[in-house]
Amino acid sequence: MSCPVRDPRWAGGFECSGSCRRKRLIAGEFSAKQLQKRQKDPGFALTCKSCVEAKAQAERDAAAGRSMAAAASGDDAGGTTVCSSCGKGPAEGAAFSKTQLRNAAHGKPAKCLACAAKAEADNNAAGDAKFEAKLAEARKAREAAERSGDAAAVLKASALEAAIEGERVTGVKASGG
């Protein structure tokens, strides 16, 4: 009887060191940057996207509370800053991070915390939609190859589809052409 394979690169071989402490996660649950750091240093502690997002949301909420408290106390930090997306200022309830206030001080457009969070969520959704579109295109190509009856084309299209799915699971891009 053989013993189970214990290879950390296998699908489901990742663990979250964040607040959820989930185990047997696929690479798609982590950012590409964290996976790169993990490849360089096997001892690097990974944090899943949901834990990172929860921590960022808590920080945004705390910053919004501090900004509102400063506005209520009459502190002028960011008092003249207007959001470049929604057009609201602190008087209308918009809260700005220190980075965005620094941007505004240098004449660059600044976004309030709500607009910055929305832009980040839209960016993440665009990445997921891009992957899904790429996978759907590969599946259509495989189905077309199956209809053509050409065994070599079917094999090539199936390999491409498997590589795309594998990239999502392992976080490693397929090499070769």
Side-chain angles (χ1 to χ4, degrees):
M1 182 168 188
S2 66
C3 64
V5 177
R6 302 216 187 276
D7 189 345
R9 293 172 293 170
W10 278 49
F14 298 105
E15 297 179 7
C16 177
S17 63
S19 59
C20 71
R21 299 280 188 210
R22 294 184 296 161
K23 298 181 185 322
R24 297 189 47 87
L25 299 173
I26 64 172
E29 294 285 331
F30 303 95
S31 70
K33 196 70 166 173
Q34 283 193 18
L35 293 173
Q36 288 173 355
K37 288 179 182 178
R38 178 67 177 260
Q39 285 178 338
K40 291 179 183 174
D41 177 18
F44 181 76
L46 296 171
T47 306
C48 69
K49 289 178 182 177
S50 59
C51 287
V52 170
E53 179 58 35
K55 184 178 178 184
Q57 184 61 43
E59 288 175 3
R60 284 192 294 267
D61 293 344
R66 288 191 303 269
S67 178
M68 295 303 248
S73 68
D75 189 6
D76 193 37
T80 59
T81 305
V82 177
C83 178
S84 63
S85 294
C86 65
K88 292 182 181 178
E92 293 88 21
F96 295 89
S97 66
K98 286 182 181 179
T99 304
Q100 294 299 326
L101 289 174
R102 203 173 310 123
N103 284 346
H106 294 306
K108 297 179 184 175
K111 291 182 183 174
C112 65
L113 291 171
C115 291
K118 183 181 180 302
E120 185 178 347
D122 290 347
N123 189 22
N124 290 342
D128 291 342
K130 182 179 175 184
F131 168 78
E132 292 299 330
K134 189 176 175 183
L135 185 59
E137 183 179 319
R139 286 186 175 144
K140 285 180 184 177
R142 179 188 44 83
E143 291 168 358
E146 287 174 348
R147 284 192 299 273
S148 74
D150 183 12
V154 172
L155 180 61
K156 184 177 180 180
S158 295
L160 177 63
E161 181 184 1
I164 294 170
E165 289 175 342
E167 180 182 339
R168 180 64 156 192
V169 173
T170 63
V172 179
K173 289 189 178 187
S175 61

